[in-house]
Amino acid sequence: MAAFAVGIVLGGAGVGVLRSSREERQRNATVSLVAFPASTSSSSGGDTEVVQMDGQLAVINGGPAPVTVKSVSGQRPGVQVQDTGHTRLVRPGGTAWISVKLRIECALAFGSEPLSIRFSVETADRQVREVSYSVAVAGSAWHQGAERPCASLAEMARRQGQR
């Protein structure tokens, strides 16, 4: 009888350890990111319709474990976003500022359609996972940063058209 009781106790402890281990693996594999356009800096006009800018994307880790953002990219008509090649560790509840290159077609970029950003992240269990998050470009810091260069390009195009 004592051996049976010891077996039950050890079996219960083993199930608890397995359950705890499974929960930790699931926690380490969870990815929950929130992102938004944070800022722009330098810009250049490639032609009369396109502005290329350096910018920042704020990425918040809403998950329970740290993640390393390995790459960021996104594209829709009028907007292209690509990271600059630097990885960033984002702790749970923390924010990382990801440097990005932006290519904005002034005539198309600021519609109401969101931009789907794709992230490649390494989770705490050392697995690389792909996740997406949609961000609004219209009214964002990227939109505000592109307004003046886009207006300058439009004015330059208008002047060239009058010659």
Side-chain angles (χ1 to χ4, degrees):
M1 187 69 158
F4 180 69
V6 170
I8 289 176
V9 169
L10 290 176
V15 167
V17 168
L18 286 175
R19 182 176 298 136
S20 177
S21 176
R22 184 177 339 118
E23 288 171 356
E24 184 170 343
R25 281 193 311 273
Q26 287 174 334
R27 182 180 74 83
N28 288 339
T30 300
V31 178
S32 178
L33 300 178
V34 175
F36 60 90
S39 66
T40 60
S41 54
S42 63
S43 67
S44 63
D47 58 33
T48 59
E49 300 173 3
V50 176
V51 172
Q52 296 184 25
M53 301 187 316
D54 294 328
Q56 296 261 300
L57 180 68
V59 179
I60 301 167
N61 181 359
V67 296
T68 300
V69 178
K70 299 182 84 54
S71 69
V72 174
S73 64
Q75 182 174 352
R76 72 159 171 78
V79 182
Q80 291 179 341
V81 176
Q82 184 65 48
D83 67 84
T84 60
H86 297 97
T87 61
R88 292 281 189 258
L89 175 67
V90 191
R91 302 212 179 279
T95 302
W97 305 93
I98 309 292
S99 295
V100 294
K101 297 285 186 185
L102 302 163
R103 183 179 187 280
I104 296 177
E105 295 177 45
C106 297
L108 301 174
F110 305 115
S112 61
E113 181 182 343
L115 172 65
S116 180
I117 303 282
R118 290 177 307 283
F119 297 91
S120 176
V121 299
E122 183 177 327
T123 54
D125 62 357
R126 298 195 178 261
Q127 298 297 310
V128 175
R129 292 179 167 74
E130 304 292 323
V131 295
S132 295
Y133 188 82
S134 293
V135 300
V137 177
S140 72
W142 294 350
H143 182 177
Q144 293 169 2
E147 283 180 321
R148 180 170 280 152
C150 282
S152 294
L153 288 175
E155 178 63 23
M156 191 168 49
R158 186 185 65 76
R159 286 182 184 165
Q160 289 175 351
Q162 289 180 347
R163 290 184 184 174

